[in-house]
Amino acid sequence: MKLSRDIQSLSVFKRDSSKYLRQIKKTRAPLVLTVNGKAAAVVLDPDSYESYLREKDWQDTMAGS
C-alpha cells in the first residue's frame, strides 16, 4: 500500500471518482477513504473483493472444523 496513493479523503474521491476507479482497477490495491482524517470506508475492485470473500469463507470453514 502506498499511503499517498491509496488513502484519500471522501471529498477528493467524490470529486475525482473516475480517476480513482481506474487506479483501483489498474493496481488492484484497496483505496482507503477518510472522513475527518479517520478511515471510513475501503473500496476494492470486484475481483479482489471476490478473492477476499473466498478466503474468508475458507478461513471460516477451517475454524469450524
Side-chain angles (χ1 to χ4, degrees), residues 37-61:
K38 295 183 181 183
V42 177
V43 182
L44 296 168
D45 70 282
D47 292 336
S48 295
Y49 183 65
E50 286 179 15
S51 294
Y52 163 78
L53 290 177
R54 281 193 301 274
E55 178 68 22
K56 183 179 180 321
D57 184 47
W58 182 83
Q59 289 179 358
D60 289 347
T61 299

Side-chain angles (χ1 to χ4, degrees), residues 4 7 9 13 17-19 24 28 31-32 35 37 41 45 47 52-53 57 59-62 64:
S4 63
I7 299 177
S9 70
F13 176 79
S17 59
S18 59
K19 170 188 162 186
I24 293 165
R28 300 199 49 159
L31 179 66
V32 178
V35 175
D45 70 282
D47 292 336
Y52 163 78
L53 290 177
D57 184 47
Q59 289 179 358
D60 289 347
T61 299
M62 296 309 289

